[in-house]
Amino acid sequence: MRLLKIIAPLILVLLMAGCWGKRETDEIAYVLVMGFDKGPGHFSVISFQIANPKAIAGLSGGGGGKGVGGGDEPLFIENIVAKLPIGAFNLLNVERSREISLLHTTAFIFSEEVARQGVAHYLNPLGRYRETRGTAFVFVCRGKASEFMKKNQPVLEVTPSKQYAMLALTNKIHGLTQVTQFTDFYQGSKSVDVNPTAPLVGISKKEELSKSEIPPHNKLGDYLAGDMPSVEKDPQFIGTAVFRKDRMVGELTGDETRYFNMIIGKLNQSFLIIDDPKKKGQSVGMTLRQARKPEVKVNLAGERPEIELRIYQEPEIAGVTSGINYESPEMKKVLEKALANIIRKRCESLITRTQEEFRSDIFGFGRKAKRKFITLEKWKKYNWDEAFPQARVDIIVHVKIRRTGLMLNTRPTQ
Amino acid sequence: MKEILKNIIQLISYRESAGPEDFILEENLFDKKAVESNQGGSGEPPIFAEKEGADSVNEGRDEGSSQSKGRVRSRRRKKGESSGEEPEQQSNGGDQVHGSLEQNRNRIDQIYGLPVNKDLIVRSFTMGTSPPTGGFAIFIDGLADRTTVNLLLQNLMVHTRMYCNNEGSPASYIMKNLLPGSQIRTLDSFKKIADSVNYGDTAFFFQGSAQAIVVETKGWERRAVSRPNVEQTISGPQESFVENLRVNTGLVRKIIRSEKLFTELFQIGARFPSDVAVMYLKDLANPQLVEEVKRRISSITVDYVNDIGILEQFIEDDPYSMNSQTLSTERPDRVAALLAEGKVAILLGGSPFALVVPVTMYSQMHTGEEVYLRWQYGTFLRYIRTISFYLALLLPGSYLAVVLYHQEMVPTELLLFIAGNREKVPFPTLVEMLLMEFSFELVREAGLRIPGIIGSTIGIVGALILGQTAVQANIVSPILVILVAVTGLASFSIPSYSLAFAVRIYRFFYIIMGSVLGFFGISIVLYVQILLTTNLKSFGVPYLSPTGPRTHSGPDIVFRLPIFMHRRRPDYLNPQDDIRMSQNPRGWVEEGNGGEKQG
């Protein structure tokens, strides 16, 4: 009896400490993607891409396989008109039987229209919400987000979640787009040091390839998402949306995104075609690799900020059309110099564009500049947003060709 | 209306049946008999009289009940106690062997209740000495070896013709000259004679001798030493203990060929004694430990001990703990290895298992085989076993916690797969899990109990019917079947049967707490379990040593280093000599480079 008197309160204490948030998996609808579009008036259209686990596990269709007539689609989309995302959950439950869960929401897609008006009033409630994943991806969609979600049918993946996760991996190979996670994006939208960016997505227009406009060969991937020529209506992930605070102010093409990634040190690998420095009309293919992280030095002593940016690249020769033996030590130097020149010019023009057109420091130079100040107040007073467009940026590019592919020297084909 | 109601009440209310009962096991029959036999002076006294101390405990327990009740109880017990002492003295008076054959014969009849009890064989004979001497032999049919008894009788009856006897006591003369048994004693107490005869010996009584000759003729049917059934290993000796105590001690002694290996015999069991052997290495085992083992065993007062498992429950430190505090093994080589570490082994006659004390949690995870294997393989085995220990303990609980509370922890695709398979299952996950766990325990228990001939089918029934069909009928989700199967396999890979049991029971706590409180609940149970286990001691050795408390142990806990690095015996045993091998046990390797690489 005495033992019971001791144990009972202990158990009660333990039970009260629990959260009692038990939810069976069959009581929840898992939202995989959320999309935000402009709605009537000051409302927005919020789209939910919800997984149908029955179909994904192959249980639907009365014992038959997936894809047999009558089988459920693995994903479906709900559009709700609401002012704020959380309110939309309640409205969604009017139509669907299950509680909405954001635990597995791996992407938030803002339409360009919404993004240009500012996304703060979406980010705030989402960031406050308990279930939002900080690691979810943020995208900006050219066109309607709900349209993109409907058209985006990943052929190779079961769910779009996997597709977006894979995107982060493929970006390490080409560097033409960029990966932004919710936490970073949210922090960036409030920060005074850096402005956020988000990868651009879009659905391509259906067109005949022979008639399509294409950028010059030395600007590989100089597209915005949705502009790349394509026979079918395919989802495309290329380019970057540039934000000032929570408002989108411009777009970078895939080619520009490559140099943006290079400057922030996130370019893992990327294929680049440059004009042959010795022979006109010919070109050299290079695979860029970052040797080490770029070094940034900021000097605030002068009237306007001076930024010194050092970029280290160790490319690999991928193809030489001219037949010149660029593998030889002397010619390597020539190629290195030409490449460094190109990288410097492109980076310069990108930075100039952000300074003049966007007036937005998306590179995070502000983070380095902040270190020169003792208190946050002084840093805020300095007003980096105004100072950055005035800044003079010196770019020094170090290029060292370490590998030449599997060929040790090039001989022209007869 | 009232009639109907009355009828209904009659229908459901209890009525004593009118007919006479065939057999009634009367409550007070035994008490009456005891009183009667006391008066007659021939009955056996109760072995354990309830003591004053036991009474006071009882009284203390029902403090709340009325005082007079307690008094009545204690009075009743006192009566029984007083009646218990008298007859003992009386029977002692008739214990001495007489010179008269007739009287001895009568006494034997009395002790064994002869015309009724058919087990004891009494063979009367006359020896061909001059003058002819009468005598009789007693042995128990089935326990004594018939050919030996025949040989003895032959010697007495046929071959004695050549000898004449006139000098000395007949018993000692016969013992010296006429009986060819290898172990032979003269006894004059009927109690001792009966003890020996009950264990398969043959007693000879002779006319005019106040002593009986007891010849060792033990020869009952016994199992041969065979391969271990419970602790199977691939490498190492393939012998296991049998039900015979002396064979078992011999099996150990065969491995440890040392005069320092002491075997001390005790008898426990007041009604029917069983032999207990305590084995230890005199120059190695801590004397305090040996003393404690002997103290605990010799202090046991119980009517009889059937199996070593019962003995274990009498001598263990904490009977309320889930973990077993002794190591039960059927392998003589394992016992020998543990004895060589400085531990103490306890063997019981009639039990094919040995207990080794003290024990730690880690030695329950060992099989002894890892040491026979090369150290890389042994380490690998032990890591697999360790992982499976945690799997068996935590996997179902963690699954519940993840699926019910922490769904964000699982990759999206996996969660959707789990969720999709659960869509058609009508039960909550906890019920599903308990159902499956229960089924698995059922298969396991039924597989053990089922008669051997149909035993092989239980595997198919368990796997097919339960797994496949339950999934097809949407009673459980397939991932759960996988989970329970893995858990079951993992719990089978724990070498110690007792530890596996503890894990199986603990697992249900994890399942409940995981489903009620998520990972928070699991960490609570984990915390409590760690506390309980750390608090445990086995014969003075902390259960989690050498890691909690940390002592020097040598490289033999989970990880196992090359054999020549196992230089010291476990420190927690405090053996008399803790160095096992020389500084450079591999003499052929050059001295000084620490045995790392050959020179």
Side-chain angles (χ1 to χ4, degrees), chain A residues 72-374:
Chain A
D72 298 341
E73 287 294 318
L75 299 161
F76 62 93
I77 293 172
E78 286 283 338
N79 300 309
I80 300 291
V81 178
K83 189 156 192 327
L84 286 172
I86 312 295
F89 297 163
N90 287 356
L91 293 178
L92 182 57
N93 275 348
V94 174
E95 292 188 358
R96 296 292 158 184
S97 52
R98 290 190 183 177
E99 190 183 344
I100 302 302
S101 164
L102 290 198
L103 286 175
H104 278 271
T105 307
T106 42
F108 296 101
I109 301 178
F110 297 99
S111 75
E112 194 181 337
E113 201 181 359
V114 164
R116 285 197 187 272
Q117 284 181 346
V119 291
H121 62 287
Y122 301 111
L123 295 181
N124 188 294
L126 282 175
R128 198 182 290 270
Y129 195 55
R130 201 164 271 122
E131 289 182 351
T132 311
R133 284 188 158 218
T135 53
F137 300 109
V138 176
F139 296 99
V140 169
C141 175
R142 300 185 78 215
K144 281 201 159 186
S146 58
E147 197 72 16
F148 175 79
M149 284 158 67
K150 207 177 285 171
K151 292 275 163 55
N152 179 21
Q153 300 281 357
V155 182
L156 296 176
E157 315 299 344
V158 181
T159 60
S161 319
K162 177 86 182 292
Q163 183 193 18
Y164 297 134
M166 288 294 109
L167 204 67
L169 285 181
T170 49
N171 187 46
K172 285 191 170 171
I173 299 167
H174 57 68
L176 293 177
T177 179
Q178 191 240 333
V179 176
T180 304
Q181 294 188 333
F182 181 82
T183 309
D184 297 338
F185 187 76
Y186 178 61
Q187 298 294 343
S189 73
K190 297 198 304 181
S191 168
V192 277
D193 320 335
V194 65
N195 277 315
T197 54
L200 272 179
V201 297
I203 294 288
S204 62
K205 295 172 237 7
K206 206 171 174 177
E207 60 187 341
E208 225 172 294
L209 291 187
S210 56
K211 287 178 187 164
S212 53
E213 259 181 64
I214 38 170
H217 69 278
N218 58 7
K219 281 193 163 183
L220 184 77
D222 196 23
Y223 297 108
L224 292 173
D227 288 349
M228 200 168 99
S230 173
V231 183
E232 290 298 324
K233 289 200 166 186
D234 285 328
Q236 292 178 349
F237 301 83
I238 185 168
T240 304
V242 179
F243 282 73
R244 195 187 312 129
K245 299 295 167 228
D246 69 317
R247 252 168 239 271
M248 180 175 159
V249 287
E251 291 157 331
L252 302 181
T253 64
D255 187 49
E256 284 169 319
T257 304
R258 174 178 15 237
Y259 297 104
F260 168 63
N261 280 330
M262 193 186 284
I263 293 171
I264 61 173
K266 285 193 175 160
L267 188 75
N268 182 59
Q269 182 186 334
S270 184
F271 186 69
L272 185 70
I273 296 169
I274 59 169
D275 289 325
D276 199 308
K278 289 281 175 195
K279 224 176 204 175
K280 259 209 157 159
Q282 300 285 0
S283 51
V284 180
M286 309 285 276
T287 306
L288 293 177
R289 270 175 207 279
Q290 181 174 290
R292 63 180 120 126
K293 290 238 168 198
E295 287 166 9
V296 179
K297 278 181 194 158
V298 181
N299 183 10
L300 300 176
E303 201 169 300
R304 51 184 206 155
E306 280 172 24
I307 300 168
E308 187 189 292
L309 173 66
R310 282 174 187 273
I311 292 171
Y312 301 91
Q313 289 289 330
E314 282 183 359
E316 186 176 342
I317 297 174
V320 181
T321 55
S322 60
I324 298 170
N325 185 18
Y326 281 117
E327 287 87 344
S328 67
E330 318 86 61
M331 296 306 282
K332 234 190 223 173
K333 290 248 161 59
V334 176
L335 197 61
E336 281 166 4
K337 210 175 161 194
L339 183 63
N341 224 1
I342 288 165
I343 290 176
R344 189 171 49 77
K345 270 187 190 156
R346 299 273 170 85
C347 286
E348 260 169 14
S349 71
L350 172 66
I351 292 174
T352 319
R353 206 171 159 214
T354 58
Q355 282 178 321
E356 289 167 7
E357 192 182 333
F358 309 139
R359 303 177 65 78
S360 161
D361 173 20
I362 53 175
F363 307 104
F365 294 141
R367 289 203 187 107
K368 295 276 176 184
K370 188 164 70 169
R371 296 182 188 177
K372 309 275 178 192
F373 296 86
I374 294 168

Side-chain angles (χ1 to χ4, degrees), chain A residues 14-15 17-26 28 30 32 51 53-54 56-57 59 62-63 98 101 103-104 106 133 158-159 161-162, chain B residues 403-413 415-425 427-430 474 513 515-517 520 524:
Chain A
L14 287 182
L15 292 184
C19 65
W20 295 100
K22 175 158 101 179
R23 287 191 298 182
E24 295 279 349
T25 52
D26 53 6
I28 304 173
Y30 294 100
L32 298 188
K54 254 187 305 201
I56 287 173
L59 285 183
R98 290 190 183 177
S101 164
L103 286 175
H104 278 271
T106 42
R133 284 188 158 218
V158 181
T159 60
S161 319
K162 177 86 182 292
Chain B
V403 164
L404 295 178
Y405 290 93
H406 317 281
Q407 290 151 354
E408 68 277 6
M409 285 182 64
V410 198
T412 308
E413 315 256 301
L415 180 81
L416 290 176
F417 179 74
I418 293 172
N421 281 309
R422 280 206 28 75
E423 287 294 326
K424 283 190 178 176
V425 177
F427 304 116
T429 321
L430 174 65
N474 290 321
M513 287 304 263
S515 72
V516 173
L517 293 175
F520 174 61
I524 288 173

Side-chain angles (χ1 to χ4, degrees), chain B residues 226-525:
Chain B
S226 58
R227 298 169 73 91
N229 287 323
V230 183
E231 297 167 72
Q232 292 170 339
T233 56
I234 291 175
S235 55
Q238 302 287 339
E239 278 178 340
S240 74
F241 287 131
V242 292
E243 283 79 358
N244 191 305
L245 180 67
R246 300 315 300 190
V247 173
N248 290 352
T249 53
L251 284 172
V252 176
R253 194 168 277 281
K254 194 183 72 180
I255 302 170
I256 303 183
R257 293 193 298 186
S258 162
E259 67 284 358
K260 295 291 183 198
L261 175 64
F262 276 36
T263 305
E264 290 193 40
L265 283 179
F266 296 85
Q267 282 201 336
I268 52 172
R271 201 176 283 275
F272 341 112
S274 22
D275 290 332
V276 178
V278 175
M279 299 183 88
Y280 56 94
L281 283 160
K282 183 68 179 171
D283 57 342
L284 208 59
N286 192 319
Q288 278 178 305
L289 174 66
V290 176
E291 210 45 55
E292 175 65 14
V293 172
K294 289 197 284 195
R295 187 179 73 86
R296 286 193 195 180
I297 287 177
S298 53
S299 72
I300 294 170
T301 46
V302 66
D303 63 345
Y304 88 112
V305 172
N306 196 4
D307 184 70
I308 198 132
I310 296 173
L311 183 65
E312 175 192 349
Q313 295 172 53
F314 273 113
I315 60 170
E316 65 188 353
D317 291 64
D318 184 359
Y320 301 103
S321 168
M322 198 80 86
N323 292 73
S324 153
Q325 296 131 56
T326 54
L327 181 77
S328 173
T329 177
E330 59 167 351
R331 299 170 56 86
D333 60 311
R334 184 116 197 262
V335 171
L338 293 170
L339 286 180
E341 274 185 0
K343 291 181 179 171
V344 177
I346 303 163
L347 291 91
L348 181 79
S351 175
F353 287 91
L355 291 185
V356 181
V357 291
V359 70
T360 63
M361 179 95 159
Y362 297 101
S363 55
Q364 295 202 326
M365 294 294 288
H366 297 173
T367 61
E369 194 189 10
E370 312 94 51
V371 188
Y372 302 146
L373 293 169
R374 300 185 62 235
W375 66 275
Q376 300 93 333
Y377 317 152
T379 305
F380 176 71
L381 269 184
R382 280 197 192 163
Y383 269 106
I384 289 203
R385 231 176 270 151
T386 309
I387 291 167
S388 68
F389 173 79
Y390 285 113
L391 280 184
L393 205 58
L394 297 173
L395 188 63
S398 307
Y399 169 79
L400 283 174
V402 165
V403 164
L404 295 178
Y405 290 93
H406 317 281
Q407 290 151 354
E408 68 277 6
M409 285 182 64
V410 198
T412 308
E413 315 256 301
L414 180 61
L415 180 81
L416 290 176
F417 179 74
I418 293 172
N421 281 309
R422 280 206 28 75
E423 287 294 326
K424 283 190 178 176
V425 177
F427 304 116
T429 321
L430 174 65
V431 174
E432 201 186 353
M433 175 68 84
L434 289 178
L435 206 73
M436 213 51 215
E437 280 287 341
F438 179 72
S439 314
F440 191 86
E441 296 292 325
L442 206 66
V443 170
R444 175 183 242 188
E445 184 62 15
L448 197 64
R449 304 279 160 238
I450 209 156
I453 308 159
I454 42 176
S456 57
T457 53
I458 196 72
I460 304 162
V461 170
L464 280 184
I465 310 276
L466 282 179
Q468 179 83 0
T469 327
V471 168
Q472 274 184 0
N474 290 321
I475 300 295
V476 292
S477 56
I479 194 147
L480 205 81
V481 177
I482 299 172
L483 220 71
V484 170
V486 168
T487 313
L489 280 181
S491 72
F492 275 122
S493 73
I494 298 171
S496 161
Y497 188 61
S498 303
L499 188 64
F501 245 123
V503 165
R504 273 159 73 186
I505 295 169
Y506 265 122
R507 178 159 76 222
F508 283 95
F509 288 103
Y510 284 103
I511 288 177
I512 299 295
M513 287 304 263
S515 72
V516 173
L517 293 175
F519 273 127
F520 174 61
I522 285 185
S523 42
I524 288 173
V525 187

